[in-house]
Structures are given as C-alpha cells and as structure tokens.
Amino acid sequence: THVSGNTYNVNLELLRDCSGVTLAGTATVSVSSASAGYTISLGLDTTNAGGQYNAGVLCPTGQNQCTNPAALNPGYEYWRYTGQITLPAAANDWYFTYGNCCRPGNLDNVLPNSYSVYAFLDNSIAPNNGVQFQNAFNVTSGTSVNNISNLASYETDGDSLVYSLADPLDNFTAGVAVP
C-alpha cells in the first residue's frame, strides 16, 4: 500500500496446514527491479500485523490439528506479516518475492519441494496500490468436487484486477517463474 513518495507498506499473508511445515515469526521478501538495478532484502514480521490465528472451522468444543496434532480434522493457520520499504527509484518492474524451502509431504497434487509467490509493482508513472481482499479465502476443497472461491476485492487506484489459475511457482527469481 502506498504511504508517500516511494514508501510502501508491504503485507504478506500465508495459510499454513498445521500438519505440515511450520512458519516463523519473521519472513524475508526479496524486492528487485532489473531496470533500476536494485535487489533489496526486506524483513517482515507479525508484531504489528495481528500475527497468526487458527483458520480451521470448528464447533465450540471441536479440535483440529492446530489445537491438537493427533486430531482427525485438518487445521489451518493464517499468518500476516508486515513491513515498510522506501524504494530507491521509480521503475516499471518491481518484484516482491517470497519463497519457502518446503511444502508438506502429505500433498497429493504437488511434490514436497519449495514454493514461491510474488507481487508486481509499476511506480514509474505514479504511486500505485495493491489489491485489497474483503474476505478470507476458502482453505479446503474436496477431490473431484466443484469449488467456488469468493475473491471479493478492490483496487483503490481503480486499476483492473485479473485472476487466473496457474501451476504453483518453484524457485521464483525476479521475472522468471519456474512452475
């Protein structure tokens, strides 16, 4: 989110399967622009972001794998990290990239290897903002069952929003995605 000048608040939001790989209280995002010739390491933390919370759907007395690792019900945690950066220059190719070394080994549709997510920013003409989501994402879906996800969102600058399904990224470096 644009603050002023070339200063932006950066948010990283992740969902974690409680039976899988753990997340730390801090996260590092690589911020890079090939045209401006910069690569910056930005530390984010959960201190002022609301931290983490259990995103699993439970009855009041129910347990899931977040509250009890031996429980049968899957559990999910939502993690929110924040930080602030002042970009050293305006450019049309800023990439904000986060990667993690590991996916859980119990997934049946991807290999247990690294994954990456990224966001793109063009601040060459004017300051720019990112998308704001109005709902939490649906974190579960069944095999061979239609799944409908509500991506209710808006962009405060009035830019167009486009969503597309894609293979998960592995070992993403600025501008080069490896599915």
Side-chain angles (χ1 to χ4, degrees):
T1 306
H2 181 252
V3 177
S4 68
N6 277 343
T7 301
Y8 291 83
N9 288 330
V10 177
N11 299 313
L12 172 65
E13 298 178 6
L14 301 172
L15 285 170
R16 179 185 96 76
D17 177 344
C18 290
S19 68
V21 178
T22 60
L23 293 173
T26 60
T28 301
V29 171
S30 174
V31 182
S32 60
S33 165
S35 68
Y38 288 100
T39 299
I40 303 161
S41 184
L42 175 64
L44 306 177
D45 66 41
T46 59
T47 305
N48 295 313
Q52 72 189 64
Y53 69 87
N54 186 339
V57 178
L58 290 174
C59 298
T61 59
Q63 291 188 342
N64 66 23
Q65 292 168 350
C66 293
T67 58
N68 176 1
L72 297 177
N73 295 322
Y76 305 92
E77 287 178 339
Y78 169 85
W79 287 67
R80 184 163 196 247
Y81 301 88
T82 61
Q84 191 172 84
I85 189 169
T86 300
L87 298 172
N92 64 356
D93 63 342
W94 285 108
Y95 282 90
F96 296 74
T97 309
Y98 168 79
N100 190 312
C101 71
C102 311
R103 288 185 179 138
N106 62 350
L107 299 175
D108 62 2
N109 61 345
V110 294
L111 297 174
N113 56 3
S114 63
Y115 68 92
S116 299
V117 293
Y118 75 94
F120 174 79
L121 172 69
D122 177 354
N123 69 336
S124 63
I125 298 172
N128 210 338
N129 283 295
V131 64
Q132 302 294 315
F133 291 99
Q134 296 173 297
N135 309 353
F137 291 116
N138 177 16
V139 297
T140 60
S141 63
T143 303
S144 301
V145 176
N146 289 337
N147 182 34
I148 299 173
S149 296
N150 182 352
L151 299 176
S153 57
Y154 62 94
E155 210 286 341
T156 58
D157 298 325
D159 295 337
S160 297
L161 298 175
V162 177
Y163 300 97
S164 41
L165 296 176
D167 290 332
L169 300 176
D170 185 17
N171 299 323
F172 183 86
T173 24
V176 182
V178 181

